């Protein structure tokens, strides 16, 4: 028998304020047509004044707990992926722990920008497989609207706010690729590329800073690295790309999503796409897409899923799991 981290619940939360592309036309030299054609994005949600990443994360965690029919005291750990923590410290994860009323166990943040949820899943999987925790809430939550330069049309139209969560539980499975749960992970980073996507503020500057991106460069790396990491993760368990039922990619740009699916030999019918409705919600985009895919009945128990992401660092990776 092999211990596997199996998804027992999933949920998400989007802040109320819905912002269509046309809203940017009043302040920037841009158009709904340009944004749709170059990115696939049609709308995104933004947090309200006074609303923070921890607020979004609490709602998503509660939804995942409801879906798993569990309460906070049943949970051993929270692993939360974010680059837009409410404060420098404490971690957003411990704020969520408190708000859920969870007084035991442990909670910590993971920071790998848009690849954050992949890194968080890999960490939670390691905790479960090694017996350090049995039930872990894995959350991706972001308020990227807080770090936008609203005068930079090449970045501020791309991002959105939101949160998604899964509840992972340790289960004894057979030890083969038919098992439910996380079957393989592949993590990578290369700090030589840190300058093509970063925030120009932090403790060193005493400011929050704004997101800066060389879009074309990031695009080039994304198309090349996402298919490679997905292929590596699938091959680690002796499966082929054609065995994949669903690709659940990081939702940054529809053109990147299409190019990656094509490289993996899949049509867009096998891909969960939410970028049109959410924009790029960084670490929240994959659990949001998983939650949407389950809620509308596409993702079913037993389906083989590959999920992949790339973000600032550069950091990238993939996780293969059977739902
Ligand atoms: N509206 C109108 N025109 C625009 C806009 C806009 N919102 N933004 C840029 N343009 C203009 C540019 O100024 C440029 O004009 P110029 O030719 O006169 O200089 C022209 O459009 C073309 O710009 P490009 O940057 O070449 O456009 P491109 O087709 O590369 O699309 C984009 C830009 C959408 C940013 C794309 O490069 C992209 O998606 N990159 C990847 C982003 C990504 O995946 N990020 C994921 C990680 S995010 C994270 O980790 C936090």
């Amino acid at each position: 028998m092999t211990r596997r981290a199996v998804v027992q619940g999933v949920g998400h939360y989007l802040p109320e304020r819905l912002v269509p592309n046309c809203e940017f036309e009043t302040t920037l030299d841009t158009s709904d047509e340009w944004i749709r054609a170059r990115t696939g994005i049609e709308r995104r949600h933004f947090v309200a004044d006074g609303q923070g990443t921890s607020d979004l994360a609490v709602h998503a965690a509660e939804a995942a707990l409801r879906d798993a029919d569990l309460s906070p005291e049943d949970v051993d750990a929270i692993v939360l992926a974010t680059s837009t923590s409410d404060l420098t410290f404490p971690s957003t994860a411990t704020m969520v722990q408190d708000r859920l009323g969870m007084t035991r166990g442990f909670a910590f943040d993971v920071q790998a920008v848009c690849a954050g949820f992949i890194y968080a899943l890999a960490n939670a999987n390691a905790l479960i497989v090694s017996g350090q925790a049995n039930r872990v809430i894995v959350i991706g939550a972001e308020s990227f609207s807080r770090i936008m330069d609203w005068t930079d049309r090449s970045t501020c139209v791309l991002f959105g706010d939101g949160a998604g969560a899964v509840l992972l539980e340790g289960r004894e499975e057979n030890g083969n690729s038919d098992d439910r749960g996380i079957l393989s992970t592949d993590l990578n980073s290369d700090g030589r590329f840190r300058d093509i996507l970063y925030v120009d503020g932090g403790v060193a500057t005493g400011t929050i800073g704004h997101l800066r991106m060389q879009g074309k460069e990031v695009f080039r790396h994304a198309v090349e690295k996402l298919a490679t990491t997905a292929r590596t993760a699938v091959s680690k368990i002796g499966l082929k790309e054609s065995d994949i039922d669903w690709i659940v990619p990081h939702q940054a740009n529809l053109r990147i999503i299409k190019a990656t699916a094509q490289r993996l030999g899949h049509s867009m019918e096998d891909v969960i796409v939410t970028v049109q409705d959410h924009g790029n919600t960084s670490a929240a985009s994959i659990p949001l897409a998983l939650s949407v895919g389950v809620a509308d009945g596409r993702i079913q128990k037993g389906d083989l899923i590959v999920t992949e992401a790339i973000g600032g660092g550069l950091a990238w990776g993939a996780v293969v799991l059977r739902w």
Side-chain angles (χ1 to χ4, degrees):
M1 300 296 273
T2 299
R3 192 155 188 77
R4 299 281 193 198
V6 178
V7 176
Q8 301 290 13
V10 61
H12 74 266
Y13 179 79
L14 291 158
E16 261 174 48
R17 189 173 162 223
L18 186 64
V19 178
N21 289 343
C22 61
E23 224 178 281
F24 294 102
E25 292 174 354
T26 57
T27 52
L28 291 168
D29 180 14
T30 189
S31 64
D32 175 41
E33 195 190 358
W34 191 95
I35 301 168
R36 277 177 199 248
R38 305 308 293 165
T39 72
I41 298 166
E42 298 171 19
R43 57 191 75 81
R44 75 287 290 141
H45 294 251
F46 285 156
V47 285
D49 287 345
Q51 196 173 30
T53 298
S54 60
D55 299 307
L56 310 183
V58 167
H59 285 299
E62 285 172 343
L65 281 167
R66 265 196 309 277
D67 191 43
D69 203 14
L70 292 169
S71 50
E73 54 268 30
D74 298 322
V75 175
D76 304 309
I78 297 171
V79 182
L80 188 148
T82 191
S83 301
T84 47
S85 202
D86 290 352
L87 299 173
T88 304
F89 75 78
S91 67
T92 302
T94 51
M95 294 184 187
V96 173
Q97 182 188 28
D98 175 46
R99 294 266 300 279
L100 290 176
M102 187 180 149
T103 52
R104 59 172 208 92
F106 59 96
F108 63 95
D109 286 358
V110 167
Q111 215 275 45
V113 201
C114 294
F117 193 73
I118 297 288
Y119 275 61
L121 275 182
N123 271 279
N125 181 51
L127 290 172
I128 289 171
V129 168
S130 64
Q132 294 175 82
N134 190 43
R135 292 198 185 108
V136 183
I137 305 178
V138 188
I139 308 171
E142 302 280 14
S143 310
F144 262 53
S145 64
R146 299 266 187 246
I147 51 168
M148 288 298 112
D149 173 351
W150 299 110
T151 64
D152 178 8
R153 66 178 182 172
S154 69
T155 53
C156 74
V157 302
L158 303 176
F159 293 90
D161 302 336
V166 297
L167 187 297
L168 292 178
E169 184 176 49
R171 296 273 287 267
E172 296 304 321
E173 296 278 328
N174 293 324
N176 59 45
S177 60
D178 290 334
D179 290 354
R180 286 189 66 210
I182 293 178
L183 300 175
S184 75
T185 62
D186 183 58
L187 302 183
N188 311 269
S189 68
D190 190 337
R192 287 175 301 170
F193 301 116
R194 66 190 180 280
D195 290 343
I196 65 172
L197 178 53
Y198 66 102
V199 171
D200 60 2
V203 173
T205 61
T207 59
I208 297 171
H210 294 121
L211 182 142
R212 305 294 175 203
M213 178 167 75
Q214 294 175 33
K216 264 199 191 327
E217 275 299 293
V218 176
F219 195 100
R220 197 174 58 75
H221 283 284
V223 169
E224 173 215 322
K225 291 183 165 56
L226 290 174
T228 304
T229 185
R231 252 187 231 118
T232 304
V234 170
S235 69
K236 280 182 183 177
I237 42 163
L239 292 177
K240 300 185 297 293
E241 285 97 287
S242 55
D243 295 316
I244 301 166
D245 295 307
W246 294 108
I247 300 171
V248 183
H250 169 49
Q251 312 280 324
N253 184 313
L254 189 56
R255 291 187 290 142
I256 296 173
I257 294 171
K258 281 183 175 166
T260 307
Q262 194 179 19
R263 283 177 178 226
L264 293 173
H266 280 262
S267 78
M268 286 303 285
E269 283 182 4
D270 303 336
V271 186
I272 306 288
V273 181
T274 55
V275 71
Q276 71 283 0
D277 296 325
H278 303 160
N280 181 348
T281 57
S282 190
S285 90
I286 287 172
L288 270 163
L290 285 170
S291 184
V292 167
V294 169
D296 67 22
R298 276 178 294 173
I299 297 175
Q300 296 282 332
K301 200 169 171 179
D303 285 352
L304 188 75
I305 296 173
V306 64
T307 180
E308 28 82 354
I310 186 165
L314 291 176
W316 68 101
V319 171
V320 177
L321 70 156
R322 195 174 292 284
W323 198 256

